Amino acid sequence: MTPEPAAAPTAATAPAARRAPAGAAVLREDVTEAIRAAVVEELATVGFARMSIEGIARRAGVGKTAVYRRWKSKLHLVLDLVGAFAVDGLPVPSTGSLYGDVRALLEVMSHVLRHPVASAVIPDLLVEAARNPEIADAVRGALLEGQRRMAEGIISEAVARGELPVGVDAGRALDLAIGPLYWRQVVVRDSVPGGYLDDLARSVVAGLTAGTP
């Protein structure tokens, strides 16, 4: 694949043509997809810390400028990729019960964490986030905001139905739900056996409703 060339004016159009402003070139979708595919391969081969824009461009068969037209750094590139597998933009579960909503959230997150891109990228990003506050903020925005929004929606609906009292912390609910799932699928890299998500959903509901009249 070759870098994106600018269209050359013809003899007929050259006199009337105006030069496009810098950076206004149309970004070819096939080039964008080639770069994304190269990122996945680079991450699998060298990891986030050793990954470079040069290596990505070389693997994609494009120039570095083609990468920088789309993303200003490798961090933004990877976060964009991971964001495609995050829950941001998905509707809040609405099954009619706290258990059903928690179970639906767990199903979505289990699917996300099983994806090869997410499972390969997220651990590396968390390591880098521990060293760099800027990366930590970016990772938090890309990975946690959508999950937190869903948890807040689930808690709000449960309060409205009378299943939970006002004041239940959505962050705590998210910790109870996603913590065990992340440990099993990303840290230990173990499979999720049949019935595991059902049991985990029941445990989360029990933890949230403990002490509720």
Side-chain angles (χ1 to χ4, degrees):
M1 185 173 294
T2 58
E4 299 165 277
T10 65
T13 60
R18 290 193 306 166
R19 184 173 180 175
V26 175
L27 300 180
R28 283 170 40 187
E29 186 60 29
D30 60 329
V31 173
T32 301
E33 290 307 313
I35 294 171
R36 287 187 173 127
V39 172
V40 174
E41 294 175 10
E42 280 288 288
L43 284 167
T45 304
V46 303
F48 179 81
R50 295 175 57 195
M51 187 178 71
S52 67
I53 295 296
E54 290 80 2
I56 293 168
R58 184 168 52 250
R59 191 180 290 273
V62 300
K64 288 190 297 181
T65 55
V67 181
Y68 282 119
R69 284 193 195 106
R70 294 162 172 83
W71 301 277
K72 64 180 181 180
S73 71
K74 71 174 185 178
L75 173 62
H76 290 87
L77 203 168
V78 170
L79 289 176
D80 176 63
L81 193 65
V82 172
F85 306 103
V87 299
D88 193 29
L90 292 179
V92 175
S94 184
T95 65
S97 72
L98 176 59
Y99 168 81
D101 289 351
V102 170
R103 178 63 176 76
L105 173 63
L106 291 173
E107 186 70 43
V108 170
M109 287 309 304
S110 180
H111 176 75
V112 168
L113 294 175
R114 281 198 306 271
H115 195 283
V117 171
S119 62
V121 173
I122 291 175
D124 269 359
L125 284 181
L126 293 179
V127 170
E128 295 300 319
R131 303 170 181 162
N132 187 318
E134 180 185 1
I135 294 178
D137 289 343
V139 169
R140 189 177 298 112
L143 299 181
L144 296 182
E145 290 309 313
Q147 297 172 29
R148 188 174 300 279
R149 179 188 58 80
M150 292 184 77
E152 289 172 348
I154 290 171
I155 297 302
S156 176
E157 290 296 316
V159 170
R161 289 191 298 263
E163 293 180 275
L164 290 175
V166 175
V168 172
D169 183 7
R172 175 171 172 262
L174 197 59
D175 291 344
L176 288 171
I178 306 304
L181 203 57
Y182 181 86
W183 176 263
R184 173 179 284 271
Q185 292 190 229
V186 177
V187 179
V188 180
R189 294 186 179 273
D190 199 359
S191 61
V192 175
Y196 176 79
L197 296 182
D198 298 329
D199 292 341
L200 181 55
R202 281 190 285 269
S203 296
V204 172
V205 171
L208 293 174
T209 57
T212 301

